[in-house]
């Protein structure tokens, strides 16, 4: 604490904090950037060959599927696309529950770096299938599953890093802005994949794979995972993976770094009693974790259905080319950026995380159906904001709040585990959404949207108890807390 009274150390701390926020934003942008190509490439793997000019030197007897990429040239291509999506998402959902446990016990810098390098490798391997002329669904499914496992290293680690550096005061707004990396990554992934999709779709995967691997190298050399350096030993190396100082995660330091002038006189020894990593059951017992986890399950079901199927829907319904459909789908992600920021601002001001999510989810239900017409296109922006706003708030500010809940008595080592539980449960919905879309879409796209509307309503219902508690507090029957 005394170190921060030094103007030079205080200035250096602010610079490191801002730099860490920028780096983690960049890292998770790369994670999402590398997930997006599959949704853009789908409409290239199975095309309407009657509208494509066939090269004169191509001698093919099957006129209906000559331009498709086997095995996606069959009538069950939507089911196969659903299989690919779920190989990734099921592996991601399962791995996420274990990822937080590893994240609490391993140096975050090493953990993130290895995850991004391996994720880059498997992303590139999918693209190499184009150049190696691979037509096996087993190959693409295996690569997707392994990539899903590697991607689980990202979210618990980056949220833990940001939670270690920022207090609760403006966490909703800060993390709302920071969480725009999800949409920024989706937009960049769509644009990069769209550049190559019509000429050589393998590069739509290889380029994002190289980008995320490069950010993994950047992480290894530059990430400072904790603020302990500034209040620990003056000889501590900020890049050292040594055990984190217990005192830097105490409740007193939380007040310091959230901007409060109050400094607790609680001795560091008192904090040491609560520095053991929390158990899975212990994290589940934190008030609000179960409700927000189940809410996120259905919120991510909706968000990831749009993520993986919106470009194909636009291509099928509006008859756009693959690149045009991908470019148009980015409007949904632009709306997601604005929705995440607004959700953070409103929840910071009102102190009602659950109420903010509930209102946006209720509004998203009818807006999800309006998107069926794709007219006017600004509806894509509005729907993106309402769908991704609650998802962004729960996975960032809410996870960080619950991971530093007062019942933990200053034990901030629970943050990564709580984040993994919430996002892992949400990832089950993320896996179910694209799977159900693949199974339901042959019966009509309207039925897919009915499924998404039902999911929005269910997500809102799971928050009803917490919403009632917050509204009751605003009415003066319980103390109101902000942030």
């Amino acid at each position: 604490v005394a170190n921060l009274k030094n103007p030079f150390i205080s200035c250096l701390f602010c610079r490191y904090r801002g730099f860490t926020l920028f780096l983690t934003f960049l890292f998770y942008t790369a994670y999402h950037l590398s997930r997006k190509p599959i949704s853009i490439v789908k409409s290239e793997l199975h095309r309407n060959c009657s509208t494509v000019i066939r090269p004169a030197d191509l001698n093919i007897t099957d006129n209906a599927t000559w331009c498709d990429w086997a095995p996606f040239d069959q009538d069950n291509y939507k089911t196969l696309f659903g299989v690919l999506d779920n190989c990734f998402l099921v592996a991601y959902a399962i791995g996420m529950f274990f990822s937080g446990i590893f994240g609490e016990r391993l140096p975050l810098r090493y953990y993130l770096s290895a995850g991004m390098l391996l994720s880059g490798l498997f992303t590139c391997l999918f693209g190499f299938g184009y150049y190696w002329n691979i037509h096996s669904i087993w190959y693409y499914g295996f690569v997707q599953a392994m990539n899903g496992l590697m991607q689980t290293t990202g979210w618990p680690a980056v949220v833990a890093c940001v939670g270690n550096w920022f207090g609760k005061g403006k966490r909703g707004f800060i993390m709302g802005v920071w969480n725009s990396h999800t949409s920024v990554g989706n937009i960049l992934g769509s644009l990069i994949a769209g550049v190559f999709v019509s000429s050589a779709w393998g590069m739509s995967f290889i380029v994002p794979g190289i980008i995320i691997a490069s950010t993994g190298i950047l992480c290894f050399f530059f990430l400072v995972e904790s603020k302990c350096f500034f209040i620990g030993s003056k000889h501590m190396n900020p890049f050292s993976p040594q055990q984190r100082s217990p005192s830097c995660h105490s409740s007193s330091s939380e007040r310091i770094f959230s901007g409060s002038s109050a400094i607790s006189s609680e001795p560091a020894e008192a904090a040491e009693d609560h520095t053991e990593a929390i158990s899975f059951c212990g994290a589940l017992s934190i008030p609000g974790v179960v409700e927000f986890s189940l809410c996120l399950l259905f919120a991510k079901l909706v968000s990831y259905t749009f993520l993986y199927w919106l470009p194909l829907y636009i291509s099928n319904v509006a008859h756009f080319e693959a690149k045009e459909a991908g470019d148009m789908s980015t409007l949904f992600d632009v709306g997601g950026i604005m929705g995440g920021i607004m959700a953070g601002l409103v929840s910071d001001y009102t102190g009602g995380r659950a109420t903010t999510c509930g209102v946006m989810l209720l509004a998203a239900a009818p807006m999800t159906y309006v998107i069926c017409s794709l007219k006017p296109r600004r509806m894509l922006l509005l729907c993106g904001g309402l769908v991704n706003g609650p998802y962004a708030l729960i996975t960032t500010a809410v996870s960080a709040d619950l991971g530093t809940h007062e019942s933990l008595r200053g034990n901030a080592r629970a943050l990564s585990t709580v984040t993994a539980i919430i996002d892992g449960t949400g990832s089950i919905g993320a896996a179910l959404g694209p799977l159900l879309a693949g199974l339901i879409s042959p019966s009509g796209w309207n039925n897919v949207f009915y499924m998404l509307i039902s999911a929005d309503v269910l997500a809102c219902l799971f928050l009803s108890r917490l919403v009632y508690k917050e509204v009751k507090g605003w009415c003066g029957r319980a103390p109101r807390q902000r942030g």
Side-chain angles (χ1 to χ4, degrees):
V1 175
N3 287 350
L4 290 176
K5 295 181 179 180
N6 184 312
F8 174 76
I9 297 296
S10 179
C11 178
L12 189 62
F13 164 75
C14 292
R15 288 178 181 270
Y16 266 113
R17 185 164 69 164
F19 186 56
T20 300
L21 194 69
F22 169 75
L23 280 181
T24 51
F25 180 95
L26 186 66
F27 297 158
Y28 213 70
T29 295
Y31 271 102
H32 259 264
L33 182 150
S34 64
R35 295 180 195 178
K36 188 64 177 179
I38 185 65
S39 65
I40 305 300
V41 172
K42 281 178 182 177
S43 54
E44 183 68 20
L45 297 177
H46 186 95
R47 308 171 67 185
N48 183 359
C49 296
S50 63
T51 63
V52 180
I53 300 176
R54 184 165 61 178
D57 59 344
L58 188 63
N59 186 18
I60 298 291
T61 57
D62 192 345
N63 293 324
T65 62
W66 68 267
C67 65
D68 297 336
W69 186 270
F72 308 104
D73 56 347
Q74 305 300 317
D75 292 337
N76 66 339
Y77 72 96
K78 289 183 179 179
T79 301
L80 295 181
F81 286 151
V83 168
L84 287 186
D85 293 341
N86 275 270
C87 285
F88 179 96
L89 293 169
V90 171
Y92 184 88
I94 294 172
M96 184 60 71
F97 288 103
F98 299 98
S99 180
I101 297 172
F102 290 130
E104 294 289 358
R105 292 159 174 81
L106 297 174
L108 295 179
R109 182 165 63 94
Y110 292 172
Y111 191 53
L112 270 172
S113 299
M116 284 188 278
L117 287 169
L118 290 171
S119 183
L121 170 64
F122 287 108
T123 302
C124 289
L125 284 175
F126 197 106
F128 288 151
Y130 172 82
Y131 295 99
W132 295 341
N133 203 29
I134 296 176
H135 297 278
S136 170
I137 188 65
W138 295 102
Y139 172 82
Y140 295 110
F142 173 76
V143 170
Q144 281 285 87
M146 292 305 298
N147 195 14
L149 285 175
M150 296 306 106
Q151 290 259 336
T152 61
T153 59
W155 190 242
V158 295
V159 171
C161 282
V162 175
N164 287 342
W165 281 92
F166 288 89
K168 293 185 179 180
K170 296 182 179 179
R171 185 175 275 168
F173 172 68
I174 291 172
M175 286 193 156
V177 174
W178 174 77
N179 191 65
S180 62
H181 51 47
T182 300
S183 297
V184 171
N186 290 341
I187 292 170
L188 291 177
S190 297
L191 296 177
I192 292 172
V195 171
F196 305 103
V197 65
S198 298
S199 56
W201 61 260
M203 292 301 295
S204 297
F205 291 90
I206 294 172
V207 173
I210 293 173
I211 291 174
I212 189 173
S214 300
T215 57
I217 296 172
L218 190 69
C219 173
F220 181 81
F221 286 107
F222 294 104
L223 178 66
V224 181
E225 65 186 62
S226 174
K227 62 197 174 191
C228 300
F229 167 61
F230 292 92
I231 62 177
S233 170
K234 63 182 180 180
H235 301 296
M236 183 181 289
N237 183 340
F239 301 106
S240 171
Q242 62 184 288
Q243 179 70 29
R244 301 163 189 151
S245 169
S247 62
C248 80
H249 294 303
S250 68
S251 57
S252 61
S253 64
E254 179 70 30
R255 287 192 290 272
I256 293 169
F257 293 107
S258 64
S260 174
S261 59
I263 300 178
S264 173
S265 60
E266 179 184 6
E269 290 78 12
E272 295 179 3
D273 295 333
H274 307 288
T275 57
E276 292 184 2
I278 194 170
S279 67
F280 187 87
C281 293
L284 282 176
S285 66
I286 299 172
V289 167
V290 173
E291 289 94 334
F292 277 112
S293 296
L294 293 174
C295 172
L296 187 63
L297 187 151
F298 290 99
K300 286 192 78 168
L301 184 152
V302 177
S303 181
Y304 269 68
T305 301
F306 279 115
L307 174 67
Y308 281 94
W309 286 90
L310 184 58
L312 182 64
Y313 170 71
I314 294 173
S315 179
N316 287 353
V317 175
H319 307 293
F320 284 7
E321 291 294 325
K323 184 180 185 306
E324 294 173 334
D327 291 345
M328 185 176 176
S329 70
T330 60
L331 292 174
F332 184 84
D333 294 302
V334 172
I337 295 174
M338 297 184 290
I341 295 173
M342 286 301 300
L345 276 172
V346 172
S347 67
D348 275 345
Y349 178 75
T350 62
R353 307 283 199 214
T355 305
T356 302
C357 292
V359 170
M360 295 185 78
L361 288 167
L362 274 181
M367 193 56 59
T368 299
Y369 187 78
V370 173
I371 206 175
C372 284
S373 63
L374 298 176
K375 295 179 181 180
R377 295 183 183 181
R378 62 176 175 271
M379 290 301 178
L380 281 170
L381 288 168
L382 183 57
C383 186
L386 293 173
V387 168
N388 286 337
Y391 160 36
L393 186 63
I394 293 172
T395 55
T396 54
V398 170
S399 295
D401 289 349
L402 295 175
T404 54
H405 193 269
E406 59 185 9
S407 64
L408 297 173
R409 301 179 183 178
N411 179 9
R413 294 190 67 191
L415 183 54
S416 186
T417 300
V418 170
T419 300
I421 289 174
I422 292 176
D423 199 52
T425 306
S427 296
I428 297 174
L432 286 174
L435 174 63
L436 292 174
L439 296 174
I440 296 172
S441 57
S443 66
W445 285 106
N446 280 358
N447 294 329
V448 175
F449 286 96
Y450 293 144
M451 180 264 291
L452 298 179
I453 292 170
S454 301
D456 277 328
V457 174
L458 286 171
C460 188
L461 288 176
F462 278 113
L463 289 181
S464 57
R465 186 187 71 84
L466 297 178
V467 170
Y468 174 76
K469 184 178 179 181
E470 289 176 354
V471 173
K472 187 177 179 181
W474 295 337
C475 294
R477 299 177 186 175
R480 175 180 174 184
Q481 297 180 349
R482 291 190 180 184

